[in-house]
Structure formats: structure tokens, C-alpha cells
């Protein structure tokens, strides 16, 4: 962990006594997926994602200075107003990883209050939005202690810290498109933190829509952490990492040129490859459900019939993200309500679009 001395805080003094900081951070959906990681929380391949807008976590961090520093981290956690003990080990582990970069943590008693604008366990990356919101709150506290930190440095360090809580969380701090992982064609890219896509994005992608079909809201039978680990020794791992790198190069050009047909090809191929990696690991597993496949086939039929630029992507779960240009919003929503809602659990879906990242409230 000592590899990143630029993120270690200067000597701390003049700690504020108490206060409360509230931030929001959105989820994100990867277009080129990362699947497989190295210690600690470093990606085997670079990924690129749309930052979402309405699917987000709101986190308040109340802090009170202790008279004597604690031997361990001192925090309470409330999720949607109620104590949530099963989240605490994840926060404990996060604090252990980031302590050398935020050496004031044991000087405070914290109360973390967090809630989501989307259903928990709905297959939307709540660890991404949750960890990025918490990291952003902690960095706002660091800004009170170390006022010399610039806005750009603050964002970079927040992304670095968020990654140590949940890999994809580092992609939720800026928008509308972010890249995480070192890639020769993306200037400034790094395994340690995400960066905003460093080129002008074609107007075809302005206000790009993401409607999330909630196919299955149950807990996944294999967690993403376990899934990532199964890429070690996977027979197709190295080819997969090469494919992801090539797809990111292609997608970079697409986002600049506005070529929606190639966008569809890359994004859908990436989604299916992600699940192919799960189905060919040992032990093998399947996170798609029958209704996931039904929706995919319906999308293909609709596109063939109408010439639409609607496409799908998947995360590590059964739910389907439908991506489409803002200009097609009415027609696609008609298609969803008439033909796809039947495949959603309790008819539930969430309308979102690409957004701009974390905010201090």
C-alpha cells in the first residue's frame, strides 16, 4: 500500500471538533467491464463506464473529536434510519485500508447515515455509490484539515480511496463517462483511480438514457468478490483482458465519432463476455435468469424491426440496463411498458440517464 505516497496526508493539526457533512454519489454502469483483480483492489484490465444520475446514495458523516485517539475505529452505521450491523465489517475493512492516507480517522467518533434512491439489492451497484459517497464525505473532512488541497487533487484522492472500498466505486465521482485502469490510448489513466474521459463526447451521447429492468431483486448466489477471484487461473483470462483493452480502444473512437452501431456491438459483446467468464470459471455459475434472456431476445427483435439504436448491458447479476439515445425516449418507453415490464419482478424498472458524479450537499 505504500506505493502511493502522493495520497498520504501531511502532518495533521488543528482538527475541527465536530460537524456533519452530507454528500451524494451515483452508481455507474460499465460499458467495457472489469472482471478480475490484483491486490489491493487493482483491475486486471481497464474499464469505462457511464456515470448515472438518479440512482445514487446519500450519505451523512457526523464527526466528533475524541479527547484521546481510539485504539480502533469508532463509528455507528445507520442504513435508511436503522442500525445495519452487517454493513459494519465492510466499513471496518475500508477504514483499515485507508487509515495511512487519512491518519485522523481514530481521532473521531463517526456516525454514518446512508440511504439509496433505488431499492437495495436491486442489482444496481450500491457498493459503488455507497463507498464513493462515504469517501467523498471523508475527503471533505480532510479538506477542512488540509485546506491547501485543490479540487482536482481532492477528486483524485477520493477516487483512490473509494477504490479501496469497492473497485467500481472509483468510477462514480465524475461524469458523464469515466475510465479506470491504465490504458495506452487513454492519457492520464491509472489503475489506482478513475479519470473523467479526456475527450469531447459526441452529441449522440448527450443525455443518454439508461432504463434498468429489475428482473430479479434477490441476493446473488455468487458475490462479485468471489467472481473476480475465479479469474485467477481461468483458462480464458488473458484473452479476456486483451479483448477488454481492444474494446476500450474501439469505444474511445466511438464516443468521439458518435458511431452508434459500433457502440451497440461493443457494449452487448462486453455484457455477454462478462457472463461467459462466469459460466466458464471453476466452479462455474450463472447469474442471468430466464427472463434476462427473454428481454435480450426482445431487444434484438425490436431493433431489427424498427432500426432503433437501443441496446442492453448487464452487470454481475440478472438485471438488464437498456441504453438508448435521448431522441428515442418516448418510443423505447412505450416498448418497455408494452413488452418488457412482464419480465420484471413486480413490474419494476428504473428510468435513469447519464449524470455528472458526486456532490457535496
Amino acid at each position: 500500500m505504500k506505493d502511493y505516497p502522493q495520497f498520504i496526508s501531511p502532518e495533521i493539526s488543528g482538527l475541527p471538533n465536530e460537524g456533519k457533512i452530507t454528500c451524494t454519489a451515483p452508481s455507474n454502469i460499465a460499458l467495457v467491464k472489469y472482471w478480475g483483480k490484483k491486490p489491493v483492489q487493482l483491475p486486471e484490465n481497464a474499464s469505462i463506464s457511464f456515470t448515472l444520475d438518479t440512482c445514487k446514495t446519500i450519505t451523512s458523516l457526523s464527526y466528533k473529536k475524541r479527547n484521546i485517539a481510539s485504539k480502533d475505529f469508532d463509528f455507528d452505521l445507520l442504513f435508511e434510519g436503522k442500525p445495519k450491523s452487517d454493513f459494519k465489517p465492510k466499513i471496518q475493512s475500508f477504514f483499515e485500508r485507508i487509515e495511512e492516507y487519512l491518519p485522523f480517522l481514530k481521532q473521531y467518533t463517526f456516525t454514518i447515515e446512508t440511504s439509496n434512491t433505488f431499492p437495495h439489492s436491486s442489482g444496481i451497484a450500491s457498493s459503488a455509490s455507497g463507498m464513493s459517497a462515504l469517501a467523498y464525505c471523508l475527503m471533505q473532512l480532510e479538506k477542512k484539515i488540509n485546506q491547501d488541497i485543490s479540487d482536482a487533487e481532492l477528486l483524485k484522492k477520493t477516487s483512490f480511496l473509494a477504490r479501496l472500498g469497492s473497485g467500481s466505486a472509483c468510477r462514480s465521482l465524475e461524469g458523464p463517462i469515466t475510465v479506470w485502469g491504465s490504458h495506452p490510448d487513454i492519457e492520464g489513466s491509472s489503475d489506482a483511480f478513475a479519470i473523467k474521459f479526456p475527450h469531447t463526447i459526441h452529441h449522440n451521447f448527450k443525455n443518454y438514457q439508461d432504463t434498468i429492468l429489475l428482473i430479479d431483486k434477490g441476493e446473488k448466489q455468487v458475490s462479485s468478490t468471489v467472481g473476480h477471484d475465479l479469474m485467477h487461473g481461468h483458462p480464458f483470462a488473458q484473452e479476456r483482458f486483451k479483448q477488454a483493452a481492444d474494446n476500450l480502444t474501439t469505444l474511445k473512437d466511438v464516443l468521439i465519432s458518435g458511431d452508434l452501431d459500433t457502440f451497440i456491438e461493443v457494449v452487448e459483446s462486453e455484457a455477454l463476455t462478462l457472463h461467459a467468464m462466469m459460466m466458464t470459471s471453476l466452479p462455474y455459475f450463472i447469474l442471468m435468469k430466464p427472463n434476462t434472456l427473454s428481454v435480450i431476445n426482445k431487444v434484438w427483435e425490436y431493433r431489427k424491426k424498427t432500426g432503433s439504436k437501443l441496446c442492453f448491458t448487464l452487470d454481475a447479476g440478472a438485471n438488464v440496463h437498456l441504453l438508448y439515445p435521448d431522441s428515442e425516449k418516448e418510443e423505447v418507453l412505450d416498448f418497455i411498458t408494452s413488452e418488457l415490464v412482464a419480465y420484471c419482478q413486480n413490474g419494476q424498472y428504473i428510468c435513469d440517464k447519464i449524470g455528472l458524479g458526486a456532490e457535496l450537499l
Side-chain angles (χ1 to χ4, degrees):
M1 294 279 281
K2 299 281 185 197
D3 298 343
Y4 303 100
Q6 71 269 38
F7 295 119
I8 293 175
S9 299
E11 286 299 309
I12 51 171
S13 59
L15 295 174
N17 283 325
E18 60 183 305
K20 185 174 185 176
I21 295 162
T22 302
C23 296
T24 72
S27 190
N28 66 76
I29 179 67
L31 307 170
V32 171
K33 312 292 184 183
Y34 110 93
W35 196 243
K37 58 188 174 184
K38 304 172 275 198
V40 171
Q41 295 286 91
L42 295 171
E44 287 279 11
N45 65 267
S47 57
I48 186 166
S49 60
F50 278 157
T51 309
L52 297 184
D53 182 56
T54 54
C55 287
K56 58 190 174 186
T57 298
I58 301 115
T59 297
S60 290
L61 181 76
S62 302
Y63 56 93
K64 192 165 188 181
K65 190 165 175 284
R66 299 169 55 92
N67 293 328
I68 300 166
S70 172
K71 284 194 170 64
D72 201 357
F73 305 105
D74 182 3
F75 66 93
D76 284 314
L77 181 78
L78 300 173
F79 178 68
E80 296 183 346
K82 295 180 186 147
K84 187 82 172 159
S85 57
D86 53 336
F87 280 10
K88 285 192 84 166
K90 191 156 191 184
I91 304 294
Q92 174 72 24
S93 160
F94 176 52
F95 279 0
E96 286 166 6
R97 284 179 179 172
I98 67 172
E99 185 189 8
E100 70 174 285
Y101 303 105
L102 297 178
F104 55 79
L105 289 176
K106 286 180 179 168
Q107 307 272 358
Y108 284 100
T109 296
F110 294 111
T111 302
I112 303 161
E113 299 168 81
T114 188
S115 62
N116 296 331
T117 61
F118 52 89
H120 182 61
S121 291
S122 60
I124 299 161
S126 57
S127 60
S129 56
M131 284 299 181
S132 53
L134 178 55
Y136 202 50
C137 285
L138 289 166
M139 280 306 297
Q140 299 300 328
L141 178 53
E142 161 133 5
K143 174 101 176 150
K144 291 177 187 293
I145 297 162
N146 171 21
Q147 290 171 9
D148 293 337
I149 192 167
S150 70
D151 290 345
E153 288 169 328
L154 184 140
L155 271 175
K156 190 185 279 190
K157 184 169 175 178
T158 306
S159 181
F160 171 82
L161 297 176
R163 172 183 63 81
L164 294 171
S166 167
S168 56
C170 71
R171 296 191 309 238
S172 279
L173 290 149
E174 294 184 272
I177 297 173
T178 58
V179 178
W180 170 39
S182 182
H183 191 283
D185 292 337
I186 306 288
E187 196 179 330
S189 60
S190 170
D191 287 351
F193 49 84
I195 62 163
K196 192 171 167 174
F197 183 66
H199 300 278
T200 301
I201 299 157
H202 194 276
H203 61 77
N204 281 354
F205 296 103
K206 193 173 183 209
N207 289 330
Y208 221 72
Q209 301 292 305
D210 179 6
T211 300
I212 304 146
L213 306 182
L214 302 182
I215 306 290
D216 182 55
K217 289 161 57 183
E219 194 145 318
K220 297 185 296 203
Q221 75 264 34
V222 177
S223 74
S224 293
T225 303
V226 171
H228 281 291
D229 285 346
L230 292 174
M231 287 298 280
H232 297 300
H234 192 296
F236 307 135
Q238 295 311 313
E239 278 304 309
R240 162 59 199 151
F241 303 145
K242 182 178 176 300
Q243 177 202 33
D246 291 345
N247 280 343
L248 207 154
T249 297
T250 303
L251 207 56
K252 172 197 165 184
D253 294 339
V254 161
L255 292 167
I256 295 166
S257 71
D259 175 356
L260 291 176
D261 291 326
T262 306
F263 177 81
I264 290 168
E265 193 177 279
V266 171
V267 167
E268 291 190 345
S269 164
E270 275 287 315
L272 295 172
T273 302
L274 171 69
H275 286 262
M277 291 297 105
M278 299 171 193
M279 290 190 262
T280 50
S281 62
L282 272 178
Y284 39 80
F285 61 102
I286 299 176
L287 294 184
M288 287 194 271
K289 299 287 184 190
N291 281 359
T292 311
L293 295 173
S294 297
V295 165
I296 289 171
N297 280 306
K298 285 279 186 189
V299 167
W300 287 341
E301 281 168 26
Y302 174 78
R303 201 162 64 219
K304 192 172 178 184
K305 191 169 78 185
T306 63
S308 166
K309 301 304 181 190
L310 169 69
C311 72
F312 70 85
T313 189
L314 308 166
D315 236 332
N319 300 325
V320 181
H321 288 250
L322 297 178
L323 304 176
Y324 51 98
D326 191 41
S327 58
E328 292 190 28
K329 192 172 170 181
E330 271 181 49
E331 298 88 334
V332 171
L333 287 173
D334 282 347
F335 168 57
I336 290 167
T337 51
S338 63
E339 297 205 38
L340 300 184
V341 159
Y343 300 105
C344 299
Q345 194 173 338
N346 305 324
Q348 279 190 294
Y349 61 95
I350 296 170
C351 293
D352 208 335
K353 62 179 182 179
I354 61 177
L356 296 176
E359 283 183 282
L360 174 65
L361 297 183

